[in-house]
Amino acid sequence: MIAQVTAPRLGVCYYPEQWPREWWADDARRMREMGLSQVRIGEFAWSRIEPERGRFDWAWLDEAIEVLAEAGLAVVMCTPTATPPKWLIDRMPDMIAIDAMGRPRRFGSRRHYCFSHEGYRAESRRITRAVAERYGAHPAVIAWQTDNEYGCHDTTLSWSVAALKSFRSWLVNRYKDIGALNAAWGNAFWSMEYGSFEEIDLPNLTVTEPNPAHVLEFRRFSSHQVVTFNEAQCRILREYSPGRTLTHNFMGFVTDFDHHEVSRDLDVASWDSYPLGFLEQFWFTTDQKLRYARQGHPDIAAFHHDLYRGVGRGRWWVMEQQPGPVNWARFNPSPLPGMIRLWTLEAIAHGAEVVSYFRWRQTPFAQEQMHAGLLRPDRKDDVAADEVRRVVADLQSLPDECVDTQRSTVKAEVALVFDYDAEWITQIQPQGAGESTLRTAFEWYSALRSLGLDVDVLPSSADLSLYKVVVIPCSPIVSESFAAQLRAISAHVLIGPRSGSKTSHFAIPWELPPGNLQSLIPIKVIRVESLREGMIEPGRHFNVHRWLEHVETSLVPEWVLMSGRGVLYRHQNVRYLAAALDDTSTRQLMKTLTQEAGLHLCDLSEGLRLRRLGDLRFAFNYSTHTLSINDVLPSNARVLRGAVTLAPAEVAIWIE
Ligand code: GAL
């Protein structure tokens, strides 16, 4: 029987196969000394576990697990399928993925497999069974991670022969009749009609854009391939390793497959948090990239914590936490001193059961030699090691019942709806450069958080009945059940532009957007326009940019542009926003909405963020200057960590 530990745990990612055996015991001892209690191993170790097909070398891994276990560390074991070894590629060369340009994604790094290749799927089950049989019942093994970061390096979509074959049978299953597919996709357009399912290709390498209905189906199919690939591993792990927690380490800002669907087969969602790398690689403005270069945008980590709490149906971990500069972004600054601690405490404040650092020691060789660890390559402590020790002291100072991960996570009063297929739709048909559901969701989330609010990020299928405010940044396809749920709830609802704008076959609904949402609010979107950067449509107290819809309605608009065009409409508890607002205006709208719903707001200074966990309240300073939290600290607060003035990267924790 494995004891249920409910206090948050700290862990680390470790690669015994990359270090001399003589170091293992000392590493394990130092991990314990630092306050770590679990170690993730094995996700890239296939070539060492099985150097030739069918010849397994378990001795080293047996020993590594024993060494870790003896030191009192729990082990998170992985299936090594993200790195199929060379002998396997040589045996079935067509198992590698093909990119959208038709080029093979060759051996020599990782994730060089196609989710649709039946031979590789069988190999994935075979190696999973072998590892699970060997270690499934080991008392130190408390959890399993499947594969590693599905979708990383753009690997969800593969344009291979195997994918084509499976895509066709998936379509047969879905449509049964080719006439039905032609009708659903609108293939009368440009003479795209097919005579049989065998004629359908993957939607790449077309002269101009392929039919968006075709692409959407390919995206759904590709997502399904990830789900079933993962499910097959989970089934084996459950058989050989009963009672252990199953997880997968999802990524930041990666949306190429439906994470909720994958997560259905898992017990816990985990994700890999690299706030500085993400800030550098994604859509943030130069100003934000400079301002938060060493801290990360204050909502990057939090957004994902709240997203993955939803994906994990309440249970989630950070599997990899950035420990210092990384190697893979365009620029890789060092975090401000204190940020590793701040990021860890922020995760715990959002209800993380585990925060695990990537990686134990910086490796002096191969691709990630410029990526920091908790230790330097010379085995001395790196900067993060002391920050981890500080976190351990922080956790010890908090009352146990407040950080009980099974009980303390509070339900937020605001729900933000985000579905993965909504992002696929804006990617397939942006209609304005850079338009993205994910980006809009992040901007709305950020506006809400800057008002001191906690937010749950949920799919449209979630139960929304207990929320006071429900915001829907962009839901192009609205299922009948989602529309029915929205009609039934009494929350203040804000629906964003493009919602209800597509049928499930990627067409404009006959009744015009917002389609079935017209049962909630009587408006019709009769035209949309996208605005290039710098094109601003001013209102009296707000600004529209990027996206503007023309609306036909008998409702009197609440917000009107100087041009006279309405952009915000309200009917009973439901509002429809027919435009994209700049950050200041978004914040203003969120303020109106949440104030009306009676929520308690704080006007936080730039870079300050709050979060509630049980009876605890956390404040985080993401700015580069000292901030006062006087305005948010109630007079009866019992401060446990930090002080009224918060230096950059400092955290305050109090009980109200
Ligand atoms: C993650 C990955 C790790 C490592 C890390 C570097 O995406 O899971 O294996 O590559 O990034 O930051």
Side-chain angles (χ1 to χ4, degrees):
M1 200 42 210
I2 296 158
Q4 271 292 338
V5 188
T6 56
R9 306 191 294 279
L10 302 179
V12 72
C13 306
Y14 186 55
Y15 301 90
E17 69 275 22
Q18 296 173 8
W19 307 111
R21 276 183 197 214
E22 308 79 69
W23 295 8
W24 296 351
D26 188 52
D27 283 340
R29 183 190 57 74
R30 289 173 70 185
M31 288 173 193
R32 287 297 288 165
E33 172 274 323
M34 210 176 275
L36 307 177
S37 60
Q38 74 173 51
V39 189
R40 184 194 69 178
I41 58 170
E43 80 275 22
F44 302 130
W46 194 339
S47 72
R48 286 294 172 95
I49 293 173
E50 191 185 17
E52 288 168 34
R53 191 163 196 285
R55 180 167 73 78
F56 289 92
D57 180 359
W58 298 112
W60 70 273
L61 193 47
D62 290 354
E63 188 186 330
I65 293 176
E66 281 329 306
V67 167
L68 297 169
E70 263 167 40
L73 292 155
V75 172
V76 178
M77 197 62 207
C78 302
T79 64
T81 45
T83 48
K86 184 71 167 74
W87 56 256
L88 183 50
I89 314 299
D90 289 345
R91 203 183 157 95
M92 44 170 89
D94 60 345
M95 62 157 279
I96 53 170
I98 302 293
D99 77 5
M101 301 306 292
R103 296 170 305 202
R105 307 197 71 187
R106 295 171 50 181
F107 180 83
S109 63
R110 60 177 171 183
R111 300 215 55 77
H112 39 277
Y113 70 84
C114 170
F115 279 102
S116 295
H117 192 275
E118 288 304 331
Y120 188 59
R121 286 179 161 245
E123 285 295 300
S124 148
R125 293 191 297 270
R126 189 182 63 84
I127 190 67
T128 298
R129 182 167 291 111
V131 185
E133 237 170 354
R134 184 85 189 175
Y135 301 114
H138 196 293
V141 173
I142 58 153
W144 288 85
Q145 172 187 301
T146 55
D147 202 280
N148 188 78
E149 290 191 341
Y150 292 134
C152 182
H153 315 304
D154 292 325
T155 50
T156 300
L157 307 182
S158 168
W159 313 83
S160 65
V161 172
L164 173 61
K165 197 166 148 255
S166 306
F167 182 49
R168 284 178 181 160
S169 34
W170 186 84
L171 289 172
V172 170
N173 232 330
R174 216 163 146 78
Y175 290 90
K176 314 288 188 269
D177 170 58
I178 195 67
L181 179 145
N182 282 324
W185 292 10
N187 282 340
F189 189 79
W190 286 354
S191 268
M192 291 185 296
E193 282 159 309
Y194 297 106
S196 85
F197 287 96
E198 288 308 298
E199 293 175 7
I200 300 175
D201 274 329
L202 298 181
N204 63 329
L205 299 172
T206 48
V207 174
T208 182
E209 61 177 305
N211 187 338
H214 187 173
V215 186
L216 180 60
E217 289 295 44
F218 182 58
R219 302 295 298 264
R220 287 177 175 141
F221 157 79
S222 302
S223 175
H224 173 77
Q225 297 302 84
V226 180
V227 174
T228 51
F229 183 90
N230 182 68
E231 190 267 335
Q233 292 199 357
C234 291
R235 205 162 348 110
I236 295 164
L237 294 173
R238 296 231 185 260
E239 183 185 338
Y240 291 98
S241 199
R244 270 60 171 191
T245 300
L246 299 195
T247 189
H248 173 76
N249 57 334
F250 297 108
M251 298 179 70
F253 296 128
V254 164
T255 52
D256 286 346
F257 58 91
D258 190 325
H259 291 41
H260 296 287
E261 298 266 316
V262 169
S263 177
R264 252 193 273 283
D265 295 306
L266 305 170
D267 302 306
V268 163
S270 58
W271 82 283
D272 297 344
S273 178
Y274 293 93
L276 302 195
F278 297 147
L279 175 74
E280 183 55 48
Q281 294 305 93
F282 288 90
W283 57 74
F284 300 93
T285 62
T286 309
D287 173 55
Q288 289 170 323
K289 289 187 186 200
L290 291 172
R291 190 156 5 125
Y292 297 122
R294 296 187 188 282
Q295 313 93 293
H297 184 289
D299 300 308
I300 287 183
F303 175 78
H304 290 94
H305 297 335
D306 291 337
L307 171 72
Y308 286 116
R309 202 176 50 251
V311 169
R313 301 173 303 281
R315 295 195 59 194
W316 66 284
W317 303 0
V318 172
M319 187 65 94
E320 298 180 12
Q321 173 61 64
Q322 175 167 1
V326 299
N327 62 303
W328 46 264
R330 279 170 302 187
F331 300 96
N332 299 291
S334 184
L336 276 189
M339 281 315 292
I340 314 305
R341 169 176 175 257
L342 182 149
W343 290 329
T344 309
L345 292 175
E346 171 107 84
I348 288 167
H350 287 253
E353 294 178 13
V354 172
V355 178
S356 162
Y357 301 93
F358 183 92
R359 51 186 286 151
W360 174 243
R361 182 170 30 241
Q362 180 175 352
T363 185
F365 45 79
Q367 279 90 331
E368 292 181 351
Q369 54 187 268
M370 303 301 285
H371 191 299
L374 298 184
L375 266 55
R376 307 186 314 209
D378 66 359
R379 304 173 71 187
K380 301 253 166 40
D381 279 4
D382 205 336
V383 177
D386 265 338
E387 296 200 26
V388 174
R389 293 190 183 98
R390 280 188 71 196
V391 172
V392 173
D394 291 325
L395 291 177
Q396 280 165 356
S397 76
L398 303 178
D400 286 348
E401 67 281 7
C402 292
V403 287
D404 181 334
T405 58
Q406 305 302 301
R407 280 182 285 269
S408 324
T409 312
V410 287
K411 206 176 176 72
E413 292 178 307
V414 183
L416 182 145
V417 174
F418 173 76
D419 285 326
Y420 286 86
D421 67 348
E423 171 61 13
W424 303 340
I425 286 170
T426 49
Q427 278 178 13
I428 294 168
Q429 193 179 68
Q431 181 67 7
E435 280 307 310
S436 149
T437 298
L438 181 67
R439 179 175 173 179
T440 308
F442 182 86
E443 288 167 356
W444 286 31
Y445 174 89
S446 191
L448 289 160
R449 284 257 299 161
S450 74
L451 296 167
L453 295 164
D454 294 338
V455 180
D456 288 344
V457 180
L458 296 168
S460 56
S461 55
D463 177 5
L464 301 171
S465 57
L466 294 179
Y467 291 94
K468 294 196 173 140
V469 173
V470 173
V471 300
I472 306 161
C474 176
S475 270
I477 298 176
V478 175
S479 66
E480 256 321 307
S481 56
F482 183 35
Q485 180 171 202
L486 291 176
R487 283 193 295 272
I489 59 177
S490 53
H492 292 246
V493 176
L494 175 65
I495 301 168
R498 302 185 83 154
S499 295
S501 63
K502 299 293 172 196
T503 66
S504 62
H505 294 297
F506 213 123
I508 297 171
W510 287 115
E511 70 271 35
L512 295 188
N516 51 1
L517 292 175
Q518 291 178 43
S519 63
L520 282 116
I521 182 162
I523 55 168
K524 265 190 205 307
V525 176
I526 54 166
R527 168 173 291 184
V528 304
E529 48 172 338
S530 56
L531 312 174
R532 72 155 31 257
E533 214 177 308
M535 260 178 101
I536 303 290
E537 284 285 337
R540 221 177 295 283
H541 58 277
F542 65 93
N543 282 319
V544 161
H545 66 170
R546 299 203 313 240
W547 189 269
L548 179 60
E549 298 180 345
H550 301 199
V551 167
E552 208 174 72
T553 181
S554 55
L555 297 174
V556 178
E558 286 189 311
W559 285 19
V560 184
L561 292 173
M562 295 305 233
S563 65
R565 185 171 298 293
V567 294
L568 182 67
Y569 295 91
R570 177 178 189 173
H571 180 63
Q572 294 161 359
N573 62 326
V574 177
R575 283 190 169 86
Y576 185 88
L577 175 66
L581 301 175
D582 68 8
D583 286 352
T584 317
S585 317
T586 303
R587 189 167 192 267
Q588 195 187 327
L589 175 56
M590 296 302 161
K591 200 167 173 176
T592 309
L593 185 74
T594 51
Q595 241 161 10
E596 238 176 58
L599 305 193
H600 173 73
L601 310 184
C602 315
D603 247 318
L604 299 179
S605 346
E606 180 262 303
L608 186 63
R609 289 294 184 265
L610 303 177
R611 173 74 198 180
R612 191 182 291 284
L613 176 75
D615 295 331
L616 298 178
R617 191 98 159 135
F618 290 68
F620 303 95
N621 184 358
Y622 279 90
S623 80
T624 45
H625 43 270
T626 298
L627 295 175
S628 159
I629 56 166
N630 234 336
D631 292 350
V632 296
L633 200 65
S635 51
N636 61 346
R638 182 153 68 88
V639 178
L640 304 172
R641 303 305 267 180
V644 175
T645 43
L646 276 191
E650 264 303 330
V651 180
I653 310 175
W654 67 90
I655 296 185
E656 291 189 357

